[in-house]
Amino acid sequence: MSKSVSLIAAFTLACFFSNSAMAGDITIGALRISEPYVRAMVPGAPVGGGYMTITNIGTTDDRLIAASSPRAGTMQIHEMTMDKDVMVMRELTDGLTIPAGKTVELKPGGYHIMFMKVGEPFKQGEMVKSTLTFEKAGTVAIDFPVGPVAGGRGTHQEIAK
C-alpha cells in the first residue's frame, strides 16, 4: 500500500471515529445529532438556548443527562410546555430520554439546552463549543453555530463567509 493511500485511510478512519465535528451530523454510539444551533443573544442577556435534532438508531433508549460549555457557568436540559394559557419552562433533572428508533427535536418552545450564566452574549456567526453527555453513548464535543437573535439556524456555511 502506498504512503498516500495509507494516509488517506488513516484520515478517513480518524474522521469516522471522531466524536467532534464542525459540519454535518455527529454520531456517538447509536445516536445521531444533527443541525445544532444557538440564537444570538442581546447584550446583557445571561441565558441562551441550544437546539438540535437527536436520532436514536439503536434498539435501546438513551438519555441526554448533562451539558457543559466554557461559555456558560451552568447548563441545564429544559422543557417548555403550555399550562392552560401560560408557557412553563422547567429543568428535566433526570435528563431527556431519546427513545430507541425515534427522533427527538430540541427546538424553541419545546425541549432545549439552556446556557446559563453566560458571561459574554453569543454573537451571530460565532461557534459555541460545548459538550453533551449521554447515559449510554457517552460524551461528545459539539459546536453550536450562532444564528440570528430573531430565530433560525446559524449554519456552518454562513459562519465560513
Side-chain angles (χ1 to χ4, degrees):
M1 183 182 300
S2 75
K3 188 174 186 176
S4 62
V5 171
S6 295
L7 288 173
I8 291 169
F11 177 76
T12 301
L13 284 172
C15 289
F16 179 77
F17 288 109
S18 173
N19 284 342
S20 177
M22 279 290 294
D25 293 350
I26 298 168
T27 301
I28 179 170
L31 303 177
R32 185 175 62 241
I33 303 166
S34 57
E35 301 178 346
Y37 73 101
V38 294
R39 289 181 174 172
M41 299 164 60
V42 296
V47 299
Y51 313 102
M52 71 197 91
T53 301
I54 306 171
T55 301
N56 184 342
I57 59 174
T59 57
T60 59
D61 294 354
D62 205 337
R63 181 181 306 271
L64 175 60
I65 56 172
S68 63
S69 173
R71 297 286 302 271
T74 60
M75 290 177 68
Q76 296 177 352
I77 303 157
H78 279 202
E79 172 184 42
M80 290 184 81
T81 57
M82 290 298 292
D83 182 10
K84 297 182 179 131
D85 291 334
V86 178
M87 182 70 79
V88 178
M89 181 170 57
R90 69 180 179 98
E91 179 182 8
L92 299 175
T93 55
D94 293 331
L96 175 61
T97 299
I98 314 298
K102 302 285 184 187
T103 296
V104 176
E105 188 174 2
L106 284 73
K107 61 184 180 181
Y111 298 120
H112 59 279
I113 303 293
M114 197 70 162
F115 291 77
M116 303 170 77
K117 299 179 185 173
V118 175
E120 186 172 328
F122 306 151
K123 295 181 183 82
Q124 186 171 347
E126 293 180 329
M127 284 287 204
V128 178
K129 295 191 175 297
S130 301
T131 302
L132 303 177
T133 303
F134 295 90
E135 188 174 63
K136 294 181 179 141
T139 300
V140 62
I142 184 169
D143 293 330
F144 286 90
V146 181
V149 171
R153 292 182 169 94
T155 66
H156 297 286
Q157 290 77 22
E158 290 172 352
I159 290 169
K161 289 181 183 176

